[in-house]
Amino acid sequence: MKFFLYLILLNTFALSQGSESPKLEINRINNIQYFSAIDYAETSKIKTVFVKTKEKLIIQYGSKKIVLSPSSSFVLVNDILYNISVPVIYDGNDFWVPLNSFSRIIKTIDLPELKIDSSEKYALLSIIPKNILGCSFERKENGVLIKIKTQEDFEENKVSATVTRGGWLNINIAEGSIDSIALINNTKLIKPILKIRPIQLEKSAQLSFLFNDKIDDYDISVDNASIRIGIRSKSEISAQKIKKMKDRWNLDVIVIDAGHGGKDPGCLDNGLMEKDITLDVSKMLGNRIEREMGIKVIYTRTEDEFIPLWKRTKIANDSGGKLFISVHVNASPKSSSARGFETFIIRPGKFDDATEVAQRENKVIELEDSPKKYPKLSKENLIIATMAQASFTKQSEFLAGEIQSELSERFTAPNRGVKQAGFHVLVGASMPNVLVELGFITNKKDHRLLSQKKYRKKMADSIYEAILSYKSEYEQSL
Ligand SMILES: [Zn+2]
């Protein structure tokens, strides 16, 4: 007895949960119950087409089609003629169909059924509540996210997916009920999804998506009244990578670092100071880059001021620089015959040569307020600190090589080549970077060149030309 009571309660509960069935008014014509076909279609969200020239109404539900003709006792259902015993009435506005015989037809072809209510004034429409409501897409970094909006959370094991030939991804939702037409009409496709095909199966709903790309991987998750399918495709991944690479290397910001400044004059000789030469060359170089290449230039300094080495690197990194060029002048107190230009790079893991120059250039940290900011540039430390540069060492090397050849085209001073050493100012730079030593202030010939405006201009021009070939080399390869 208890068992029955429980069942009854459960039943009542279930009924009260469902919203009230939509109803259609019944019209008695010649004592026969009729209802409006247009009302029926609208209430069931079924598409209708009125063919004015032929005065025919077509009710189209997926692949199912019913054609009504005025005053005819036959209706065409999926190209088969059905006799409905009394004719369809067209009042110039609406199509009226006999309730009894028409109900039988819609039942056989699985359209929403009609039942007469107790008052016999209305026909109740038994629309199965749809639990799959809609579908949307979101572009993600490496693919697409499909979001299927559902009435409630489906258990994850009720959702499965298969990939079939021709690029179809089929999502099967057990106990899913789908409004195919609304879904097709309300879904906005985005690339690489070309088509969506919702199918109501007997015990499940299937949503198929046609992809332009090969589907490499997908995962399904269920939460928040939605089914989410993340799809990754190889071309998406590589397209994304290329874009990232392009953004990363696209030469839109160049950082020019005029060595020394303020209380740090750099190397000196006979009243000529490194800090003045580097600032002058840097400004001429930056001007040309901005004017002729239209590339944004960030200077670590534009005045005679002291900027700690760590801050120079920070300025470069914070500005999103794609290239860092540090301009310096060499000195060799021991050997006045030493002359020429050289360009330094950081080559991760290799720091054997040219440490003397690096030591001299790094010495400036003693003038800084808190030299503790720097790790001791032991060989081991350098290897670790420069690992991050491995991804752009090639670019740095290329630019350094170009600078050296451009300088040697314009100057007779010896080309001392591309070298590597652990410069503090380069270590932390997260972009291709070089340090140019324009010449030796301690050498008579170099000293004379470095003190003259037109030679400084030629030096700036050499670096400028090197940047031009760097730009074309790296932007072409992207
Ligand atoms: Zn210097």
PDB file of all heavy atoms in Angstrom, residues 259-260 264-267 274 278 327-330 357 360-361 423 435-437, ligand 1:
ATOM      1  N   GLY A 259      75.412  53.792 -23.890  1.00  0.00           N
ATOM      2  CA  GLY A 259      76.172  53.350 -22.725  1.00  0.00           C
ATOM      3  C   GLY A 259      76.564  54.501 -21.809  1.00  0.00           C
ATOM      4  O   GLY A 259      76.787  55.623 -22.259  1.00  0.00           O
ATOM      5  N   HIS A 260      76.570  54.190 -20.501  1.00  0.00           N
ATOM      6  CA  HIS A 260      77.046  55.126 -19.462  1.00  0.00           C
ATOM      7  C   HIS A 260      76.169  56.381 -19.364  1.00  0.00           C
ATOM      8  O   HIS A 260      75.043  56.371 -19.837  1.00  0.00           O
ATOM      9  CB  HIS A 260      78.523  55.450 -19.698  1.00  0.00           C
ATOM     10  CG  HIS A 260      79.325  54.201 -19.955  1.00  0.00           C
ATOM     11  ND1 HIS A 260      79.829  53.418 -18.957  1.00  0.00           N
ATOM     12  CD2 HIS A 260      79.640  53.565 -21.131  1.00  0.00           C
ATOM     13  CE1 HIS A 260      80.441  52.361 -19.489  1.00  0.00           C
ATOM     14  NE2 HIS A 260      80.336  52.419 -20.801  1.00  0.00           N
ATOM     15  N   ASP A 264      78.751  58.431 -14.487  1.00  0.00           N
ATOM     16  CA  ASP A 264      79.576  57.393 -15.122  1.00  0.00           C
ATOM     17  C   ASP A 264      79.936  57.825 -16.540  1.00  0.00           C
ATOM     18  O   ASP A 264      79.119  57.722 -17.448  1.00  0.00           O
ATOM     19  CB  ASP A 264      78.789  56.073 -15.143  1.00  0.00           C
ATOM     20  CG  ASP A 264      79.411  55.042 -16.075  1.00  0.00           C
ATOM     21  OD1 ASP A 264      80.648  55.074 -16.267  1.00  0.00           O
ATOM     22  OD2 ASP A 264      78.650  54.204 -16.607  1.00  0.00           O
ATOM     23  N   PRO A 265      81.150  58.330 -16.735  1.00  0.00           N
ATOM     24  CA  PRO A 265      81.517  58.827 -18.069  1.00  0.00           C
ATOM     25  C   PRO A 265      81.894  57.713 -19.041  1.00  0.00           C
ATOM     26  O   PRO A 265      82.045  57.957 -20.226  1.00  0.00           O
ATOM     27  CB  PRO A 265      82.735  59.710 -17.783  1.00  0.00           C
ATOM     28  CG  PRO A 265      83.341  59.121 -16.544  1.00  0.00           C
ATOM     29  CD  PRO A 265      82.227  58.501 -15.746  1.00  0.00           C
ATOM     30  N   GLY A 266      82.055  56.478 -18.531  1.00  0.00           N
ATOM     31  CA  GLY A 266      82.582  55.416 -19.384  1.00  0.00           C
ATOM     32  C   GLY A 266      84.068  55.616 -19.534  1.00  0.00           C
ATOM     33  O   GLY A 266      84.720  56.176 -18.644  1.00  0.00           O
ATOM     34  N   CYS A 267      84.622  55.223 -20.661  1.00  0.00           N
ATOM     35  CA  CYS A 267      86.059  55.430 -20.805  1.00  0.00           C
ATOM     36  C   CYS A 267      86.343  56.855 -21.278  1.00  0.00           C
ATOM     37  O   CYS A 267      85.515  57.492 -21.930  1.00  0.00           O
ATOM     38  CB  CYS A 267      86.672  54.369 -21.719  1.00  0.00           C
ATOM     39  SG  CYS A 267      85.861  54.198 -23.304  1.00  0.00           S
ATOM     40  N   GLU A 274      83.253  58.594 -23.344  1.00  0.00           N
ATOM     41  CA  GLU A 274      82.433  57.556 -23.974  1.00  0.00           C
ATOM     42  C   GLU A 274      80.949  57.911 -23.925  1.00  0.00           C
ATOM     43  O   GLU A 274      80.227  57.763 -24.904  1.00  0.00           O
ATOM     44  CB  GLU A 274      82.672  56.203 -23.284  1.00  0.00           C
ATOM     45  CG  GLU A 274      81.831  55.068 -23.877  1.00  0.00           C
ATOM     46  CD  GLU A 274      82.024  53.729 -23.170  1.00  0.00           C
ATOM     47  OE1 GLU A 274      82.820  53.673 -22.209  1.00  0.00           O
ATOM     48  OE2 GLU A 274      81.372  52.756 -23.578  1.00  0.00           O
ATOM     49  N   THR A 278      78.393  57.799 -27.167  1.00  0.00           N
ATOM     50  CA  THR A 278      77.317  56.802 -27.256  1.00  0.00           C
ATOM     51  C   THR A 278      75.947  57.470 -27.370  1.00  0.00           C
ATOM     52  O   THR A 278      75.096  57.021 -28.130  1.00  0.00           O
ATOM     53  CB  THR A 278      77.327  55.857 -26.035  1.00  0.00           C
ATOM     54  OG1 THR A 278      77.157  56.632 -24.851  1.00  0.00           O
ATOM     55  CG2 THR A 278      78.619  55.066 -25.951  1.00  0.00           C
ATOM     56  N   VAL A 327      75.135  50.714 -27.143  1.00  0.00           N
ATOM     57  CA  VAL A 327      76.225  51.370 -27.871  1.00  0.00           C
ATOM     58  C   VAL A 327      77.337  51.774 -26.899  1.00  0.00           C
ATOM     59  O   VAL A 327      77.071  52.441 -25.893  1.00  0.00           O
ATOM     60  CB  VAL A 327      75.691  52.613 -28.633  1.00  0.00           C
ATOM     61  CG1 VAL A 327      76.818  53.291 -29.409  1.00  0.00           C
ATOM     62  CG2 VAL A 327      74.552  52.216 -29.571  1.00  0.00           C
ATOM     63  N   HIS A 328      78.547  51.357 -27.199  1.00  0.00           N
ATOM     64  CA  HIS A 328      79.686  51.645 -26.320  1.00  0.00           C
ATOM     65  C   HIS A 328      80.933  52.009 -27.103  1.00  0.00           C
ATOM     66  O   HIS A 328      80.976  51.878 -28.323  1.00  0.00           O
ATOM     67  CB  HIS A 328      79.983  50.424 -25.431  1.00  0.00           C
ATOM     68  CG  HIS A 328      78.967  50.240 -24.348  1.00  0.00           C
ATOM     69  ND1 HIS A 328      79.184  50.643 -23.057  1.00  0.00           N
ATOM     70  CD2 HIS A 328      77.710  49.723 -24.398  1.00  0.00           C
ATOM     71  CE1 HIS A 328      78.097  50.361 -22.335  1.00  0.00           C
ATOM     72  NE2 HIS A 328      77.183  49.802 -23.131  1.00  0.00           N
ATOM     73  N   VAL A 329      81.928  52.462 -26.339  1.00  0.00           N
ATOM     74  CA  VAL A 329      83.237  52.770 -26.916  1.00  0.00           C
ATOM     75  C   VAL A 329      84.282  52.039 -26.075  1.00  0.00           C
ATOM     76  O   VAL A 329      84.176  51.972 -24.851  1.00  0.00           O
ATOM     77  CB  VAL A 329      83.486  54.300 -26.926  1.00  0.00           C
ATOM     78  CG1 VAL A 329      84.930  54.606 -27.306  1.00  0.00           C
ATOM     79  CG2 VAL A 329      82.521  54.987 -27.889  1.00  0.00           C
ATOM     80  N   ASN A 330      85.247  51.490 -26.753  1.00  0.00           N
ATOM     81  CA  ASN A 330      86.261  50.659 -26.117  1.00  0.00           C
ATOM     82  C   ASN A 330      87.448  51.475 -25.594  1.00  0.00           C
ATOM     83  O   ASN A 330      87.629  52.626 -25.982  1.00  0.00           O
ATOM     84  CB  ASN A 330      86.795  49.662 -27.156  1.00  0.00           C
ATOM     85  CG  ASN A 330      86.706  48.237 -26.659  1.00  0.00           C
ATOM     86  OD1 ASN A 330      86.768  48.004 -25.456  1.00  0.00           O
ATOM     87  ND2 ASN A 330      86.579  47.300 -27.580  1.00  0.00           N
ATOM     88  N   VAL A 357      86.733  43.075 -21.695  1.00  0.00           N
ATOM     89  CA  VAL A 357      85.809  44.145 -22.094  1.00  0.00           C
ATOM     90  C   VAL A 357      84.566  44.104 -21.212  1.00  0.00           C
ATOM     91  O   VAL A 357      84.097  45.125 -20.715  1.00  0.00           O
ATOM     92  CB  VAL A 357      85.409  44.007 -23.580  1.00  0.00           C
ATOM     93  CG1 VAL A 357      84.463  45.126 -23.976  1.00  0.00           C
ATOM     94  CG2 VAL A 357      86.634  43.997 -24.474  1.00  0.00           C
ATOM     95  N   ARG A 360      85.190  45.485 -17.812  1.00  0.00           N
ATOM     96  CA  ARG A 360      85.258  46.944 -17.789  1.00  0.00           C
ATOM     97  C   ARG A 360      83.853  47.551 -17.885  1.00  0.00           C
ATOM     98  O   ARG A 360      83.504  48.462 -17.139  1.00  0.00           O
ATOM     99  CB  ARG A 360      86.132  47.442 -18.942  1.00  0.00           C
ATOM    100  CG  ARG A 360      86.400  48.946 -18.892  1.00  0.00           C
ATOM    101  CD  ARG A 360      87.364  49.379 -19.981  1.00  0.00           C
ATOM    102  NE  ARG A 360      86.950  48.935 -21.313  1.00  0.00           N
ATOM    103  CZ  ARG A 360      85.947  49.477 -21.984  1.00  0.00           C
ATOM    104  NH1 ARG A 360      85.258  50.457 -21.461  1.00  0.00           N
ATOM    105  NH2 ARG A 360      85.629  49.026 -23.178  1.00  0.00           N
ATOM    106  N   GLU A 361      83.038  47.009 -18.807  1.00  0.00           N
ATOM    107  CA  GLU A 361      81.694  47.561 -18.979  1.00  0.00           C
ATOM    108  C   GLU A 361      80.797  47.255 -17.775  1.00  0.00           C
ATOM    109  O   GLU A 361      79.920  48.031 -17.432  1.00  0.00           O
ATOM    110  CB  GLU A 361      81.041  47.022 -20.267  1.00  0.00           C
ATOM    111  CG  GLU A 361      81.761  47.410 -21.562  1.00  0.00           C
ATOM    112  CD  GLU A 361      81.646  48.894 -21.902  1.00  0.00           C
ATOM    113  OE1 GLU A 361      81.151  49.673 -21.057  1.00  0.00           O
ATOM    114  OE2 GLU A 361      82.063  49.286 -23.008  1.00  0.00           O
ATOM    115  N   PHE A 423      77.894  40.449 -20.527  1.00  0.00           N
ATOM    116  CA  PHE A 423      77.596  41.830 -20.151  1.00  0.00           C
ATOM    117  C   PHE A 423      76.310  41.854 -19.324  1.00  0.00           C
ATOM    118  O   PHE A 423      75.286  41.317 -19.751  1.00  0.00           O
ATOM    119  CB  PHE A 423      77.396  42.692 -21.402  1.00  0.00           C
ATOM    120  CG  PHE A 423      78.659  42.916 -22.180  1.00  0.00           C
ATOM    121  CD1 PHE A 423      79.020  42.066 -23.213  1.00  0.00           C
ATOM    122  CD2 PHE A 423      79.500  43.982 -21.868  1.00  0.00           C
ATOM    123  CE1 PHE A 423      80.186  42.267 -23.926  1.00  0.00           C
ATOM    124  CE2 PHE A 423      80.667  44.197 -22.585  1.00  0.00           C
ATOM    125  CZ  PHE A 423      81.017  43.337 -23.617  1.00  0.00           C
ATOM    126  N   LEU A 435      75.805  44.330 -28.238  1.00  0.00           N
ATOM    127  CA  LEU A 435      76.517  45.468 -27.665  1.00  0.00           C
ATOM    128  C   LEU A 435      77.640  45.815 -28.638  1.00  0.00           C
ATOM    129  O   LEU A 435      78.485  44.980 -28.944  1.00  0.00           O
ATOM    130  CB  LEU A 435      77.061  45.103 -26.280  1.00  0.00           C
ATOM    131  CG  LEU A 435      77.728  46.225 -25.472  1.00  0.00           C
ATOM    132  CD1 LEU A 435      77.474  46.032 -23.981  1.00  0.00           C
ATOM    133  CD2 LEU A 435      79.235  46.322 -25.738  1.00  0.00           C
ATOM    134  N   VAL A 436      77.587  47.037 -29.151  1.00  0.00           N
ATOM    135  CA  VAL A 436      78.584  47.460 -30.139  1.00  0.00           C
ATOM    136  C   VAL A 436      79.651  48.304 -29.461  1.00  0.00           C
ATOM    137  O   VAL A 436      79.336  49.247 -28.731  1.00  0.00           O
ATOM    138  CB  VAL A 436      77.938  48.331 -31.249  1.00  0.00           C
ATOM    139  CG1 VAL A 436      78.874  48.447 -32.445  1.00  0.00           C
ATOM    140  CG2 VAL A 436      76.610  47.769 -31.681  1.00  0.00           C
ATOM    141  N   GLU A 437      80.881  47.955 -29.700  1.00  0.00           N
ATOM    142  CA  GLU A 437      82.005  48.798 -29.277  1.00  0.00           C
ATOM    143  C   GLU A 437      82.501  49.470 -30.554  1.00  0.00           C
ATOM    144  O   GLU A 437      83.062  48.829 -31.435  1.00  0.00           O
ATOM    145  CB  GLU A 437      83.116  47.942 -28.644  1.00  0.00           C
ATOM    146  CG  GLU A 437      82.719  47.219 -27.363  1.00  0.00           C
ATOM    147  CD  GLU A 437      82.778  48.102 -26.112  1.00  0.00           C
ATOM    148  OE1 GLU A 437      83.158  49.290 -26.226  1.00  0.00           O
ATOM    149  OE2 GLU A 437      82.425  47.599 -25.024  1.00  0.00           O
TER     150      GLU A 437
HETATM  151 ZN    ZN B   1      80.996  51.275 -22.270  1.00  0.00          ZN
END
